[in-house]
Amino acid sequence: RPKFAPFNTCQDATTGTSGASGASGPKFASFNVCQDPTFGMGHYQSPVPLVTNAPLNHAIGSPGIVSSWTEWQPLKEVIVGRCELSCKPGNEPAFEAKLKSREHALFSAEPGLRSDEAIATGQDELAGLVDVLEKNGVTVRRPDVVDWSKPYSTPDFEVPCGNTSAMPRDVLLTVGNEIVESTMSWRARFFEYRAYRTLLNEYFERDPNFEWTAGPKPTMADHLYHYDFPHEARGGESDNVRSELAEKRIYIHTEAEPIFDAADVMRLGRDLFVCNSFTTNRKGYDWLRRRFNKRGLRVHFLDFPKDTAPMHIDVLFVPLSKDTVVLNPVRPPRPWVERMLRENGWKVIWGVSQGLPTPPLSQCSEWLSLNVLSIDDKKVLVEAQETRVMDLLSKHGFEPIPVPLRSIAEFGGAFHCCTADVRREGPLESYFP
Ligand code: ARG
């Protein structure tokens, strides 16, 4: 079982003392020291240069049924998850570490089906969301009902049950005409793609331009996890230790295999931002970088050192239009990120939260307040009780639409998480001049 790999600290990115800018073209390289993919990977190194100069391949980006380049272009078709037969996963290494504390209700909860009541409430909320989307002219598709309560094993591990079909954003990464099935990173989520196979087959049959790809399936054998990762749930390590580790980008996963959850990626046209986290390692980032560099996109490395159990970028870095991004004040990115955004003409809004508690059997935080879904570059779906978020967005010229969606946190997220883009109108563009 692995110990932590030797780790190079990246002083520039940590302290924010980056090089000078001034060259023409997008201002990235001088800031993003940690774009260097060799950074912090120990023995794992990639020879591929990061910022691509490859021409954009418009031919393969021509719009069909599947086409979505950003988080904010006008939404036309979307997958909304479902809660039926969702489960509480068993205590596998990555899940346990995410919970941090023994006090967490999920730590002692029996793995298996979630309560009928939680499932019914979640389904009602999702029905309300579907209604709002359809009233706004969006075609809504739903995944298959999958029984997640069956135990399964592979040659490398066994688990008492799966997870859910409620969180398509974690599984499906839409980039233009391509949908990538993510590798996932929890054993309980290994087979989660199965909920979307009927839909993906249909899109493949109907849309000749649809490119259907998948990240390499990890074995998720023991070598993928830091079994010595400290967390209170296994006996009393404090959050301080975890802060030090987060600062050094040491997470629950090793670099043994590439892993990524699709919800660790934000799409800003030609630029994709990927979060190193408990669900995406550096090798997973590098898989995405190589894949999309070939298509002329630029793939950037982000991390959020104040987050001691980072999982998914969509409460941390939330783009709302071609020049506005919301950041999380409690878990900000490294200092170069804000400067890079501002120097490229972006407005940075610091997010807010009502601070309301999440359901006991949820592993999400009150910052789901920022887990919004844009219908276009003005209209944003916001949780109905998050009035502070709505006020903030209105002040900046957006049109928040309140939708009740609180109990869905038990299934792993909110608006952004429980949806996955199929089609947004509009071409591939660069928003970093
Ligand atoms: N880690 C986030 C939190 O602090 C939850 C993100 C959920 N996102 C998702 N795509 N499932 O609450």
Side-chain angles (χ1 to χ4, degrees), residues 14 53 66 124 136 143 162 171 194 211 229 283 294 312 348 357:
T14 310
N53 290 316
V66 177
D124 280 355
N136 280 276
V171 186
R194 292 177 67 248
E211 252 195 85
F229 193 83
K283 218 180 210 172
K294 288 202 185 70
H312 303 147
V348 171

Side-chain angles (χ1 to χ4, degrees), residues 98 167 169-170 189 261-264 307 309-316 328 331 358 362-368 371 411-414 416-418:
K98 167 78 187 154
M167 299 287 131
R169 186 74 61 179
D170 301 354
R189 307 193 75 176
D261 277 12
D264 276 317
D307 197 333
M311 177 175 176
H312 303 147
I313 193 171
D314 50 7
V315 300
L316 302 170
N328 185 319
R331 300 180 234 158
T358 45
S362 161
Q363 22 106 18
C364 297
S365 71
E366 74 271 23
W367 289 98
L368 282 183
N371 193 258
F411 301 85
H416 196 257
C417 316
C418 73

